[in-house]
Short mmCIF file of all heavy atoms in Angstrom, two decimals:
data_model
loop_
_atom_site.label_atom_id
_atom_site.label_comp_id
_atom_site.label_asym_id
_atom_site.label_seq_id
_atom_site.Cartn_x
_atom_site.Cartn_y
_atom_site.Cartn_z
N SER A 1 4.10 7.38 18.67
CA SER A 1 2.97 8.13 18.17
C SER A 1 3.22 8.85 16.76
O SER A 1 2.47 8.56 15.85
CB SER A 1 2.63 9.31 19.12
OG SER A 1 1.66 10.16 18.68
N GLU A 2 4.40 9.42 16.69
CA GLU A 2 4.66 9.97 15.30
C GLU A 2 4.78 9.00 14.17
O GLU A 2 4.23 9.23 13.06
CB GLU A 2 5.92 10.92 15.46
CG GLU A 2 6.10 11.65 14.13
CD GLU A 2 7.45 12.51 14.26
OE1 GLU A 2 8.16 12.41 15.25
OE2 GLU A 2 7.67 13.36 13.27
N PHE A 3 5.52 7.89 14.41
CA PHE A 3 5.67 6.80 13.46
C PHE A 3 4.29 6.20 13.06
O PHE A 3 4.13 6.06 11.94
CB PHE A 3 6.59 5.79 14.07
CG PHE A 3 7.00 4.74 13.11
CD1 PHE A 3 8.03 4.93 12.13
CD2 PHE A 3 6.44 3.52 12.94
CE1 PHE A 3 8.51 4.05 11.28
CE2 PHE A 3 6.76 2.50 12.08
CZ PHE A 3 7.88 2.84 11.27
N GLU A 4 3.45 6.01 14.05
CA GLU A 4 2.19 5.54 13.79
C GLU A 4 1.34 6.47 12.88
O GLU A 4 0.73 6.09 11.94
CB GLU A 4 1.38 5.30 15.15
CG GLU A 4 -0.08 4.90 15.09
CD GLU A 4 -0.14 3.32 14.73
OE1 GLU A 4 0.85 2.56 14.71
OE2 GLU A 4 -1.22 2.97 14.15
N GLN A 5 1.33 7.70 13.33
CA GLN A 5 0.61 8.77 12.49
C GLN A 5 1.14 9.04 11.13
O GLN A 5 0.45 9.19 10.09
CB GLN A 5 0.43 10.07 13.29
CG GLN A 5 -0.32 9.91 14.55
CD GLN A 5 -0.31 11.22 15.44
OE1 GLN A 5 0.29 12.13 15.00
NE2 GLN A 5 -0.95 11.08 16.56
N GLN A 6 2.46 9.13 10.97
CA GLN A 6 3.03 9.47 9.80
C GLN A 6 3.30 8.38 8.79
O GLN A 6 3.56 8.59 7.59
CB GLN A 6 4.36 10.28 10.03
CG GLN A 6 4.15 11.61 10.83
CD GLN A 6 3.27 12.56 10.20
OE1 GLN A 6 3.46 12.77 8.89
NE2 GLN A 6 2.52 13.25 10.97
N VAL A 7 3.52 7.24 9.35
CA VAL A 7 3.96 6.04 8.43
C VAL A 7 2.86 4.95 8.35
O VAL A 7 2.38 4.62 7.25
CB VAL A 7 5.23 5.48 8.98
CG1 VAL A 7 5.65 4.26 8.13
CG2 VAL A 7 6.37 6.56 9.00
N LEU A 8 2.50 4.41 9.49
CA LEU A 8 1.61 3.23 9.50
C LEU A 8 0.08 3.62 9.15
O LEU A 8 -0.47 2.90 8.31
CB LEU A 8 1.68 2.47 10.72
CG LEU A 8 2.93 1.79 10.99
CD1 LEU A 8 3.00 1.22 12.41
CD2 LEU A 8 3.01 0.49 10.01
N GLN A 9 -0.47 4.62 9.72
CA GLN A 9 -1.78 4.86 9.38
C GLN A 9 -1.96 5.38 7.94
O GLN A 9 -2.86 4.84 7.28
CB GLN A 9 -2.31 6.09 10.37
CG GLN A 9 -2.56 5.60 11.66
CD GLN A 9 -3.00 6.62 12.70
OE1 GLN A 9 -3.06 7.91 12.29
NE2 GLN A 9 -3.30 6.28 13.90
N PRO A 10 -1.11 6.12 7.28
CA PRO A 10 -1.30 6.40 5.88
C PRO A 10 -1.18 5.14 5.00
O PRO A 10 -1.87 4.92 4.03
CB PRO A 10 -0.21 7.43 5.60
CG PRO A 10 0.17 8.03 6.79
CD PRO A 10 -0.05 6.98 7.87
N LEU A 11 -0.26 4.28 5.43
CA LEU A 11 -0.09 3.00 4.64
C LEU A 11 -1.34 2.17 4.76
O LEU A 11 -1.90 1.59 3.67
CB LEU A 11 1.07 2.17 5.11
CG LEU A 11 1.34 0.86 4.41
CD1 LEU A 11 1.52 1.14 2.89
CD2 LEU A 11 2.55 0.16 5.00
N ARG A 12 -1.90 2.02 5.97
CA ARG A 12 -3.14 1.31 6.01
C ARG A 12 -4.24 1.93 5.34
O ARG A 12 -5.19 1.30 4.73
CB ARG A 12 -3.61 1.22 7.51
CG ARG A 12 -2.73 0.16 8.42
CD ARG A 12 -3.27 0.09 9.79
NE ARG A 12 -2.20 -0.26 10.61
CZ ARG A 12 -1.70 0.36 11.71
NH1 ARG A 12 -2.16 1.48 12.02
NH2 ARG A 12 -0.62 -0.14 12.39
N ALA A 13 -4.38 3.27 5.32
CA ALA A 13 -5.42 3.95 4.50
C ALA A 13 -5.30 3.75 3.04
O ALA A 13 -6.24 3.43 2.35
CB ALA A 13 -5.33 5.51 4.77
N ALA A 14 -3.92 3.67 2.54
CA ALA A 14 -3.71 3.38 1.21
C ALA A 14 -4.16 1.94 0.83
O ALA A 14 -4.75 1.80 -0.25
CB ALA A 14 -2.27 3.60 0.81
N ARG A 15 -3.82 0.99 1.63
CA ARG A 15 -4.32 -0.33 1.43
C ARG A 15 -5.91 -0.40 1.30
O ARG A 15 -6.41 -1.12 0.62
CB ARG A 15 -3.74 -1.25 2.58
CG ARG A 15 -2.49 -1.86 2.24
CD ARG A 15 -2.06 -3.07 2.98
NE ARG A 15 -2.26 -3.03 4.49
CZ ARG A 15 -3.34 -3.85 5.06
NH1 ARG A 15 -4.24 -4.44 4.32
NH2 ARG A 15 -3.55 -3.68 6.33
N GLY A 16 -6.45 0.22 2.35
CA GLY A 16 -8.00 0.26 2.26
C GLY A 16 -8.52 0.94 1.07
O GLY A 16 -9.59 0.33 0.49
N TYR A 17 -8.00 1.92 0.59
CA TYR A 17 -8.48 2.66 -0.64
C TYR A 17 -8.30 1.55 -1.81
O TYR A 17 -9.15 1.49 -2.62
CB TYR A 17 -7.71 3.95 -0.95
CG TYR A 17 -8.04 4.53 -2.23
CD1 TYR A 17 -9.18 5.40 -2.34
CD2 TYR A 17 -7.33 4.32 -3.35
CE1 TYR A 17 -9.58 5.91 -3.50
CE2 TYR A 17 -7.65 4.82 -4.55
CZ TYR A 17 -8.71 5.56 -4.65
OH TYR A 17 -9.03 6.10 -5.91
N LEU A 18 -7.10 1.05 -1.86
CA LEU A 18 -6.84 0.16 -3.00
C LEU A 18 -7.75 -1.03 -2.96
O LEU A 18 -8.27 -1.43 -4.03
CB LEU A 18 -5.41 -0.28 -3.01
CG LEU A 18 -4.34 0.71 -3.40
CD1 LEU A 18 -2.99 0.20 -3.13
CD2 LEU A 18 -4.55 1.24 -4.77
N LYS A 19 -7.99 -1.60 -1.79
CA LYS A 19 -9.05 -2.70 -1.66
C LYS A 19 -10.40 -2.28 -2.12
O LYS A 19 -10.98 -3.11 -2.78
CB LYS A 19 -9.01 -3.21 -0.10
CG LYS A 19 -9.92 -4.48 0.05
CD LYS A 19 -9.77 -4.90 1.45
CE LYS A 19 -10.68 -6.20 1.64
NZ LYS A 19 -10.61 -6.75 3.00
N ALA A 20 -10.71 -1.13 -1.69
CA ALA A 20 -12.14 -0.73 -2.06
C ALA A 20 -12.26 -0.49 -3.54
O ALA A 20 -13.44 -0.57 -4.17
CB ALA A 20 -12.40 0.66 -1.37
N ASN A 21 -11.18 -0.26 -4.21
CA ASN A 21 -11.23 0.15 -5.60
C ASN A 21 -10.42 -0.85 -6.37
O ASN A 21 -9.96 -0.60 -7.51
CB ASN A 21 -10.58 1.57 -5.82
CG ASN A 21 -11.42 2.60 -5.24
OD1 ASN A 21 -12.54 2.87 -5.71
ND2 ASN A 21 -11.05 3.01 -4.06
N GLN A 22 -10.34 -2.17 -5.94
CA GLN A 22 -9.47 -3.15 -6.58
C GLN A 22 -9.84 -3.38 -7.99
O GLN A 22 -8.82 -3.78 -8.79
CB GLN A 22 -9.28 -4.31 -5.71
CG GLN A 22 -10.67 -5.11 -5.56
CD GLN A 22 -10.44 -6.32 -4.53
OE1 GLN A 22 -9.87 -7.32 -4.88
NE2 GLN A 22 -11.06 -6.15 -3.39
N THR A 23 -11.11 -3.38 -8.33
CA THR A 23 -11.53 -3.67 -9.69
C THR A 23 -10.85 -2.70 -10.74
O THR A 23 -10.82 -2.97 -11.98
CB THR A 23 -13.04 -3.67 -9.90
OG1 THR A 23 -13.49 -2.45 -9.42
CG2 THR A 23 -13.65 -4.84 -9.06
N GLU A 24 -10.55 -1.49 -10.28
CA GLU A 24 -9.95 -0.42 -11.12
C GLU A 24 -8.39 -0.45 -11.09
O GLU A 24 -7.89 0.37 -11.61
CB GLU A 24 -10.54 0.97 -10.73
CG GLU A 24 -11.98 0.97 -10.82
CD GLU A 24 -12.56 2.13 -10.01
OE1 GLU A 24 -11.93 3.20 -9.89
OE2 GLU A 24 -13.78 2.16 -9.57
N ILE A 25 -7.96 -1.29 -10.19
CA ILE A 25 -6.43 -1.26 -10.02
C ILE A 25 -5.70 -2.42 -10.79
O ILE A 25 -5.94 -3.50 -10.51
CB ILE A 25 -6.00 -1.40 -8.50
CG1 ILE A 25 -6.76 -0.27 -7.60
CG2 ILE A 25 -4.49 -1.22 -8.30
CD1 ILE A 25 -6.38 1.16 -7.98
N ALA A 26 -4.90 -2.06 -11.71
CA ALA A 26 -4.18 -2.98 -12.55
C ALA A 26 -3.18 -3.70 -11.52
O ALA A 26 -2.48 -3.06 -10.81
CB ALA A 26 -3.47 -2.45 -13.68
N ASP A 27 -3.10 -4.95 -11.64
CA ASP A 27 -2.12 -5.79 -10.93
C ASP A 27 -2.38 -5.63 -9.28
O ASP A 27 -1.51 -5.54 -8.56
CB ASP A 27 -0.79 -5.48 -11.16
CG ASP A 27 0.19 -6.51 -10.98
OD1 ASP A 27 -0.27 -7.72 -10.76
OD2 ASP A 27 1.40 -6.37 -11.04
N TYR A 28 -3.68 -5.51 -8.92
CA TYR A 28 -4.00 -5.34 -7.50
C TYR A 28 -3.37 -6.33 -6.58
O TYR A 28 -2.87 -6.05 -5.55
CB TYR A 28 -5.55 -5.24 -7.30
CG TYR A 28 -5.87 -5.25 -5.88
CD1 TYR A 28 -5.86 -4.14 -5.10
CD2 TYR A 28 -6.42 -6.59 -5.33
CE1 TYR A 28 -6.12 -4.24 -3.76
CE2 TYR A 28 -6.82 -6.50 -4.01
CZ TYR A 28 -6.65 -5.50 -3.18
OH TYR A 28 -6.98 -5.43 -1.80
N ALA A 29 -3.45 -7.49 -6.91
CA ALA A 29 -2.94 -8.60 -6.05
C ALA A 29 -1.40 -8.40 -5.77
O ALA A 29 -1.04 -8.54 -4.59
CB ALA A 29 -3.23 -10.06 -6.68
N ALA A 30 -0.63 -8.10 -6.78
CA ALA A 30 0.77 -7.86 -6.55
C ALA A 30 1.11 -6.68 -5.70
O ALA A 30 1.95 -6.67 -4.83
CB ALA A 30 1.42 -7.83 -7.83
N ILE A 31 0.23 -5.68 -5.97
CA ILE A 31 0.45 -4.40 -5.18
C ILE A 31 0.03 -4.65 -3.80
O ILE A 31 0.76 -4.32 -2.82
CB ILE A 31 -0.36 -3.19 -5.76
CG1 ILE A 31 0.24 -2.93 -7.21
CG2 ILE A 31 -0.49 -2.12 -4.90
CD1 ILE A 31 -0.66 -1.98 -7.94
N ARG A 32 -1.16 -5.35 -3.55
CA ARG A 32 -1.43 -5.66 -2.16
C ARG A 32 -0.39 -6.43 -1.45
O ARG A 32 -0.08 -6.08 -0.25
CB ARG A 32 -2.73 -6.42 -2.22
CG ARG A 32 -3.42 -6.91 -0.87
CD ARG A 32 -4.60 -7.67 -0.99
NE ARG A 32 -5.10 -7.98 0.26
CZ ARG A 32 -4.75 -8.94 1.04
NH1 ARG A 32 -3.90 -9.83 0.60
NH2 ARG A 32 -5.30 -9.22 2.29
N LYS A 33 0.14 -7.46 -2.15
CA LYS A 33 1.04 -8.29 -1.41
C LYS A 33 2.35 -7.32 -1.09
O LYS A 33 2.95 -7.49 0.04
CB LYS A 33 1.52 -9.41 -2.45
CG LYS A 33 2.66 -10.32 -1.93
CD LYS A 33 3.04 -11.37 -2.93
CE LYS A 33 4.16 -12.24 -2.49
NZ LYS A 33 4.61 -13.12 -3.36
N ASP A 34 2.81 -6.55 -1.94
CA ASP A 34 3.97 -5.63 -1.71
C ASP A 34 3.55 -4.72 -0.53
O ASP A 34 4.46 -4.46 0.35
CB ASP A 34 4.37 -4.83 -2.86
CG ASP A 34 4.95 -5.68 -4.07
OD1 ASP A 34 5.43 -6.90 -3.73
OD2 ASP A 34 5.07 -5.19 -5.23
#
């Protein structure tokens, strides 16, 4: 539970934010891959 809440969920949220704003993110494809 703690690992899910503190680590994985924020990472998924960050990926979602970046995807939604990918036109404004320089080097989006490389960041997404990483």
Side-chain angles (χ1 to χ4, degrees):
S1 176
E2 184 177 8
F3 189 80
E4 179 73 18
Q5 292 172 7
Q6 299 298 320
V7 179
L8 286 169
Q9 288 177 354
L11 181 58
R12 288 186 202 115
R15 269 197 320 106
Y17 174 85
L18 292 171
K19 182 177 182 180
N21 296 285
Q22 63 185 285
T23 57
E24 302 164 23
I25 307 294
D27 209 13
Y28 169 74
I31 293 169
R32 179 180 182 276
K33 182 180 174 186
D34 290 344

